[in-house]
Amino acid sequence: MNQHSLFIVPAANKAWFDAQAESLGNDGPALVLALSPNGQAPATHGWCGVSLSAAKEAQVQVLLDAYPEMQVDWTRYDLAAQPQWPDQRAAELGLQRISTPFP
């Protein structure tokens, strides 16, 4: 199984999420895909998909437990078996991709 993590984060919390991702070793902005309820700008959310080690997952869990107000939706899925999962999860949250990159 190719375990992958999907994070969907409110746009208002982008700076916090990017800073936390950087503290865990991410280079550059973490939220790379823009989302909104109607698939049009402005973005209300962003998503990040990444493979994490068990140790990194544990660090992420500590951060998310410490900051529940950031409203990060974190799910894990099998990237090879469920390539459609990110779009499916976004739809479950009432969101669609925006064709432009996350600002």
Side-chain angles (χ1 to χ4, degrees), residues 8 14 17 26 28 37 45 47 51 56 59 66 72-73 91-92:
I8 297 180
K14 180 187 185 315
F17 187 82
N26 188 61
H45 291 75
W47 94 22
S51 293
K56 290 288 184 190
Q59 290 176 309
V72 175
D73 181 77
E92 288 173 2

Side-chain angles (χ1 to χ4, degrees), residues 11-95:
N13 300 336
K14 180 187 185 315
W16 176 86
F17 187 82
D18 284 344
Q20 300 311 313
E22 184 177 340
S23 76
L24 294 173
N26 188 61
D27 295 330
L31 296 178
V32 296
L33 187 76
L35 303 165
S36 74
N38 63 4
Q40 302 294 315
T44 60
H45 291 75
W47 94 22
C48 170
V50 64
S51 293
L52 298 172
S53 67
K56 290 288 184 190
E57 280 194 2
Q59 290 176 309
V60 167
Q61 190 63 62
V62 168
L63 279 170
L64 297 183
D65 288 346
Y67 297 97
E69 69 275 12
M70 292 297 128
Q71 301 174 335
V72 175
D73 181 77
W74 179 23
T75 56
R76 295 168 196 87
Y77 65 103
D78 184 328
L79 183 60
Q82 300 171 289
Q84 74 290 353
W85 174 248
D87 287 303
Q88 182 181 336
R89 181 64 183 151
E92 288 173 2
L93 297 173
L95 300 168

